[in-house]
Amino acid sequence: MALRFSLFIFIFSLHFICDFPGIFGHDEGMTIKTMEEFSGYPIHEPKYPNSLSSLSVNSDTLQKQIDELATFSDSPAPSVTRILYSEKDVLARSYIKDLMELSGLSVKEDAVGNIFGLWNGYEPELAPVLTGSHVDAIPYSGKYDGVVGVLGAIEAINVLKRSGFKPKRSLEVIMFTSEEPTRFGISCLGSRLLAGSVQLAELLKKTVDSQNISFSDASKSAGYANAKGDLSEVFLKKGSYFAFVELHIEQGPILEKEGTSIGVVTAIAAPASIKVTFEGNGGHAGAALMPERNDAGLAAAELALAVEKHVLDSGSVDTVGTVGILKLHPGAINSIPSMAHLEIDTRDIDESRRNLVIEKIHQSALAIAKKRKVILSEFEIVNQDPPALSDESITKATELACQELNLTHKKMISRAYHDSLFMARVSPMGMIFIPCYKGYSHKPEEFSSVEDIANGVKVLALTLAKLSLS
């Protein structure tokens, strides 16, 4: 009887607090937490949004925001060009910050312009859950790459707020600085720094763009003056976040072809970039006899085919290689190339397999140079980032969200790399893919339907809710 009376008093007190929160001041969360600890009973039950039907995406507004953001461009519609720290980039940043504030998020920026918008949970001392992407765009690209992951993240927060959900862990939205390498030749600049790249922080002190404008001057022109020039203040400690989830268009054709709503990313293939230069004697295209030639161009052509062979010989469809740049000097139709420069991209989700391909490419370059009597004057591995695996707890949360929302899904890898690759060094990571038209990306025809975007936002919202309550 005494126990029942105690429970009655406790429940009555709880209802009194909930009905008249002003009596106890602003920090209702601390009051409830104290009563939870005192009673041993959870007051904040780990419920998801009131009902799945309450996860309502404002698709018209979201599409309007995507269209409005696309107007901040240095190229005419339907293309988008938005380069780091340019006037249009600065306008886009202001637009994103305004949307964050309108959604009730606390906004802050770091020294390079990574933008954060925080929704405090009722246990704010716990590591938050982070979500977001980027909005910079390579020249003459489309309006969905990265943008869906930023505007979609803000809308996911709005979806949860409208549903009545209260996060336990804080939820935070991020817009990363410079995922694209367009201006300074460095991809995922913001997330690499967040992951603590000392090498990059030092490199940026002497980095200039094609107009010989330094990174420091460019960042200052955009309002990110760092008096000390010490970018280490951007670095995050490992474990700063409980989880990071990125919503993104697939940038490939698989989901659309199969009619699948959601891709649950299990791994991100990381690239290695290689620069190779052969040098020969050159000469007149008519006068120099074939047996006496030292043709740097043919050496480069042979190496390009060797790249294809080594990739195919790996035995895995996940190994890919591309010779994206091949330049010949002097570049005249009647002149034997005296120099050939190649830039090679090779990727795999298996780091050791990818590195074996790189070693085989190197051995081929040496053998070709010897056979063709040219000089291998350069073989530089520019970057060799490790791949990243998605965290199982995040992929499970995403799969469960898809099931609860009755959306078809499949596990898949990302062959393009994203800021998630580097955020995996800070916290557990996961990615959510939505279909895009014919897999098009980095071109004006890039497109995802309103329905597919809404599905992605719902899955993201529910995944964030689950992770927040973990």
Side-chain angles (χ1 to χ4, degrees):
M1 184 70 181
L3 176 60
R4 289 182 182 176
F5 181 74
S6 297
L7 286 173
F8 172 78
I9 294 297
F10 172 72
I11 293 169
F12 176 80
S13 301
L14 172 59
H15 280 295
F16 188 79
I17 290 170
C18 294
D19 290 340
F20 303 101
I23 296 175
F24 294 90
H26 296 292
D27 202 348
E28 177 187 344
M30 285 303 296
T31 305
I32 293 177
K33 184 180 178 185
T34 300
M35 294 193 69
E36 285 179 332
E37 293 171 349
F38 174 77
S39 66
Y41 290 90
I43 296 172
H44 279 102
E45 295 181 9
K47 290 182 177 178
Y48 303 131
N50 295 332
S51 68
L52 293 179
S53 62
S54 69
L55 291 179
S56 174
V57 176
N58 193 333
S59 295
D60 291 342
T61 298
L62 181 53
Q63 185 60 55
K64 182 181 177 182
Q65 291 168 355
I66 292 170
D67 294 340
E68 285 179 348
L69 190 58
T71 65
F72 304 124
S73 171
D74 284 316
S75 61
S79 71
V80 178
T81 301
R82 196 159 45 239
I83 309 301
L84 175 65
Y85 299 147
S86 65
E87 179 186 352
K88 302 301 184 183
D89 182 52
V90 172
L91 289 172
R93 289 168 177 277
S94 295
Y95 185 76
I96 296 298
K97 287 183 283 187
D98 287 345
L99 290 180
M100 286 181 172
E101 290 173 350
L102 284 171
S103 297
L105 304 180
S106 300
V107 179
K108 67 177 183 179
E109 297 176 87
D110 65 20
V112 295
N114 290 311
I115 301 172
F116 302 82
L118 180 69
W119 180 18
N120 272 316
Y122 60 80
E123 292 194 17
E125 70 278 7
L126 296 177
V129 177
L130 184 67
T131 182
S133 194
H134 67 99
V135 303
D136 61 315
I138 68 169
Y140 298 94
S141 60
K143 61 184 176 183
Y144 295 89
D145 174 19
V147 169
V148 166
V150 177
L151 297 181
I154 297 172
E155 177 59 15
I157 298 296
N158 292 332
V159 166
L160 291 174
K161 286 189 172 188
R162 289 193 294 265
S163 76
F165 176 74
K166 303 295 183 184
K168 176 182 175 183
R169 295 178 182 275
S170 299
L171 297 177
E172 193 163 15
V173 177
I174 184 170
M175 190 210 84
F176 292 104
T177 280
S178 191
E179 193 264 0
E180 306 290 3
T182 312
R183 184 164 188 179
F184 292 101
I186 302 165
S187 61
C188 299
L189 189 152
S191 55
R192 284 180 192 266
L193 286 173
L194 289 171
S197 177
V198 175
Q199 181 182 6
L200 176 57
E202 289 299 313
L203 178 65
L204 288 173
K205 292 179 181 179
K206 53 186 178 183
T207 297
V208 296
D209 64 12
S210 60
Q211 304 300 313
N212 207 35
I213 298 171
S214 70
F215 176 81
S216 176
D217 287 344
S219 61
K220 287 176 183 176
S221 72
Y224 300 104
N226 185 350
K228 297 179 180 178
D230 181 10
L231 296 179
S232 64
E233 66 181 63
V234 177
F235 297 174
L236 293 175
K237 293 180 180 178
K238 190 172 178 63
S240 296
Y241 290 97
F242 178 72
F244 172 71
V245 188
E246 183 172 7
L247 175 64
H248 209 282
I249 63 171
E250 182 194 348
Q251 297 181 292
I254 296 173
L255 293 175
E256 184 189 50
K257 279 185 177 179
E258 296 185 358
T260 303
S261 298
I262 298 293
V264 181
V265 176
T266 57
I268 302 174
S273 302
I274 311 166
K275 291 183 178 180
V276 183
T277 302
F278 292 108
E279 294 184 41
N281 294 333
H284 193 284
L289 300 179
M290 296 300 290
E292 298 173 1
R293 294 187 180 191
N294 309 110
D295 192 327
L298 290 179
E302 190 171 343
L303 183 62
L305 292 173
V307 169
E308 180 187 40
K309 180 182 184 302
H310 296 320
V311 165
L312 292 173
D313 287 348
S314 78
S316 173
V317 295
D318 294 329
T319 315
V320 294
T322 305
V323 178
I325 295 176
L326 202 166
K327 297 179 180 178
L328 302 179
H329 179 81
I333 190 172
N334 60 347
S335 180
I336 300 165
S338 59
M339 185 173 70
H341 177 77
L342 305 89
E343 295 190 18
I344 303 165
D345 178 300
T346 180
R347 309 182 185 210
D348 204 321
I349 59 170
D350 186 308
E351 185 174 9
S352 60
R353 190 167 58 209
R354 182 203 62 188
N355 291 347
L356 180 60
V357 168
I358 293 171
E359 179 55 30
K360 287 182 177 180
I361 293 171
H362 188 203
Q363 292 303 318
S364 290
L366 291 169
I368 291 166
K370 183 177 181 181
K371 181 179 75 172
R372 293 193 171 273
K373 298 178 182 179
V374 296
I375 299 170
L376 178 62
S377 59
E378 179 186 33
F379 190 96
E380 179 188 1
I381 301 173
V382 180
N383 68 280
Q384 202 168 356
D385 295 312
L389 298 178
S390 297
D391 187 81
E392 188 177 1
S393 66
I394 300 176
T395 57
K396 283 184 176 179
T398 304
E399 286 185 287
L400 188 56
C402 291
Q403 291 166 8
E404 292 174 3
L405 292 164
N406 293 317
L407 293 172
T408 56
H409 69 280
K410 70 172 293 176
K411 289 184 176 180
M412 60 195 307
I413 68 167
S414 173
R415 289 182 174 83
Y417 70 107
H418 307 275
D419 289 303
S420 291
L421 179 69
F422 301 98
M423 291 306 295
R425 303 176 188 180
V426 177
S427 74
M429 171 277 298
M431 289 194 75
I432 300 167
F433 277 171
I434 61 170
C436 58
Y437 175 66
K438 292 186 177 181
Y440 288 164
S441 188
H442 283 194
K443 55 193 295 186
E445 293 86 354
E446 179 181 274
F447 174 78
S448 281
S449 70
V450 170
E451 180 183 2
D452 286 330
I453 294 171
N455 287 338
V457 170
K458 286 182 182 180
V459 172
L460 176 62
L462 196 51
T463 301
L464 293 175
K466 293 175 185 295
L467 293 172
S468 170
L469 297 173
S470 297

